[in-house]
Amino acid sequence: GSATASAEVLLGFHLDYYGQAPELDSFAYIQGAANVGNYAVFAGGQDSSALAMVDAYNTSLTKTAAASLTYARSNMGSASTQDHAIFAGGSNRPSVDAYNRSLVKTVASPLSYSCYSLSGSMVGGQAIFAGGRDSSTTYPYHKNVTAYDNQLVKTILTDLAKERANLAGAYNQNYALFAGGEAKGATLSSVEAYNRSLVRSSATALSHVTVNFAGGNVGNYAVFAGGYSNGGTYYPYATAYDTNLTRITATSLRVSRQYICCASTPNFCVFFGGITTGTVSSSAVDAYDANLTRTSPTDLPYVTDRSAAASAGNYVFCAGGHEVVSSSSFKTIKKVSVYVETT
């Protein structure tokens, strides 16, 4: 089923721009990003070539350089268990690296296929990775789904119903959801969910086909927002799914945009940046609270797309990306902006 979000305001919580954290060790876009313990962890990415660096930020906004990825990679899937931030696939590799609460790296069992442009989500203490594509010209899209538990034991799950890449992952207490994406030139709207027993079901599809969007969590909701269709339409739409997989239409983003990123504080799901319909980067920030009320914190102090976002405690970090100010003026950045949830 589907519904529309109410306009009830969640009182007492605010999301405010805090300032700039120390910059990444390198210019980077399309990084992996995940939380573990008191750290927001940013891994890999791309500049002139794929990167292996791993930078972590704690709740004191101190940056720590963790052990590099086993292989330089970008366009990875990212997700967390209770004790690990996990980065899977990317740059047409099957590699999986995990970082614990002390930022010690473990090389986990690899995916069963090489890929990039896959997505990560989580449910019931398991990190789940789905879809993706590879560089082959014969059958490049995948529907594989793989879970890792808190001990990094790998489980192969039921495949997605259809192969796809550039899909988005989101989660609530009962489900890890994977939505949209593309396959062989077609943009998709389908949504599939894995419950706490890792059983797959189908949820009500998005109201639109979309790719290059983002998903996250707040309260009882998995939230997806933004995106693009291969027909050339940029989307502002925000769609939530509750713990019964009821689809809810939330207030749209302020600006239609693709290549956005998302992370969550305890009481907000926050969407950063992206490319607007003018094909330039955006500085917009949209936050959804546990009632799906949208607020508009102070914009980023620069425009960016293809950034990465992750949280540590009440802080959420937006790192790296492309800064495109016109069709002839763009650069990769290593800035890190910080927002904080307060009462």
Side-chain angles (χ1 to χ4, degrees), residues 85-229:
I86 305 176
F87 302 99
S91 295
N92 212 44
R93 290 186 178 274
S95 307
V96 179
D97 291 314
Y99 294 80
N100 69 13
R101 289 169 174 262
S102 299
L103 301 180
V104 175
K105 184 183 83 172
T106 298
V107 178
S109 179
L111 300 173
S112 59
Y113 60 108
S114 298
C115 63
Y116 59 95
S117 296
L118 67 164
S119 185
S121 186
M122 58 198 85
V123 68
Q126 305 241 15
I128 304 178
F129 300 96
R133 63 171 300 173
D134 62 42
S135 59
S136 74
T137 57
T138 53
Y139 203 73
Y141 293 92
H142 296 281
K143 58 182 177 180
N144 307 63
V145 182
T146 309
Y148 292 84
D149 68 15
N150 199 42
Q151 286 72 48
L152 302 180
V153 175
K154 182 176 79 171
T155 303
I156 305 299
L157 306 187
T158 303
D159 285 349
L160 299 170
K162 183 175 179 59
E163 301 88 350
R164 44 188 160 146
N166 291 314
L167 65 168
Y171 63 97
N172 58 40
Q173 290 94 324
N174 291 345
Y175 292 96
L177 293 90
F178 297 96
E182 62 183 346
K184 297 182 179 179
T187 314
L188 307 175
S189 62
S190 54
V191 179
E192 297 177 65
Y194 292 79
N195 68 15
R196 298 175 70 88
S197 299
L198 304 182
V199 175
R200 193 197 77 188
S201 60
S202 295
T204 303
L206 299 170
S207 62
H208 53 290
V209 297
T210 189
V211 69
N212 301 334
F213 62 123
N217 163 263
V218 63
N220 294 321
Y221 300 104
V223 185
F224 298 99
Y228 174 80
S229 78

